[in-house]
Amino acid sequence: MNWVLTQRLTFFQLQPRQQELLIDLGIPPLPRGMYSDRAYDPQRHAFYAALGYAAAFLNREGHLDVPRRHMEPAPAARASAPAFALGEWIHQRRKHPEVLTPKQRRALEALCMIWDPTLNARKRPGPPPE
């Protein structure tokens, strides 16, 4: 296994600065490297499944500025699965960042999430209310 493939598979286990450097080099994560443990939690599973679609979009387009009505096709391995409403999913994460866990925020930021598309900047949302 070469170094680039290893970095892409272990992307979400790296430090944030390492993730940024890889993105700057044009090395985004692989969707299959998203899961960090085997414990099944439906909400976490759904988030990381959606994150896999976002990573596929990033791999193909080079950015995560997804149009709101964009439907991401299912991966070739699951060709019979319906397309995923990635644009709406991204829109909801931007609209309600307070519902995300810190780990989910870091995962989205590792994919170059633009929190405020009107500014076209990687502005971080404020901390969740306590």
Side-chain angles (χ1 to χ4, degrees):
M1 187 178 309
N2 69 25
W3 182 85
V4 172
L5 181 59
T6 302
Q7 301 312 303
R8 293 183 75 192
L9 283 171
T10 61
F11 190 88
F12 291 101
Q13 297 164 7
L14 300 174
Q15 297 296 317
R17 181 66 182 132
Q18 291 172 309
Q19 293 172 347
E20 289 176 23
L21 290 171
L22 287 173
I23 292 292
D24 291 345
L25 291 171
I27 304 173
L30 283 177
R32 68 178 186 231
M34 299 277 178
Y35 301 99
S36 59
D37 62 25
R38 302 260 188 249
Y40 183 72
D41 174 0
Q43 284 186 321
R44 187 175 64 223
H45 180 78
F47 177 84
Y48 283 108
L51 201 62
Y53 284 104
F57 184 91
L58 177 66
N59 283 331
R60 186 179 64 253
E61 303 294 329
H63 60 82
L64 204 57
D65 189 16
V66 184
R68 185 163 179 189
R69 296 189 188 272
H70 176 74
M71 299 295 287
E72 186 67 17
R78 295 179 39 211
S80 62
F84 178 72
L86 180 62
E88 184 61 29
W89 186 82
I90 293 287
H91 172 76
Q92 289 300 318
R93 302 299 78 76
R94 286 180 180 145
K95 187 175 178 182
H96 300 289
E98 70 279 358
V99 301
L100 299 171
T101 67
K103 186 174 182 178
Q104 289 172 336
R105 288 184 190 203
R106 284 192 308 273
L108 283 166
E109 288 168 2
L111 292 180
C112 300
M113 174 67 150
I114 297 172
W115 293 104
D116 187 349
T118 60
L119 298 176
N120 199 22
R122 289 178 60 192
K123 178 182 162 192
R124 291 181 178 203
E130 300 204 22

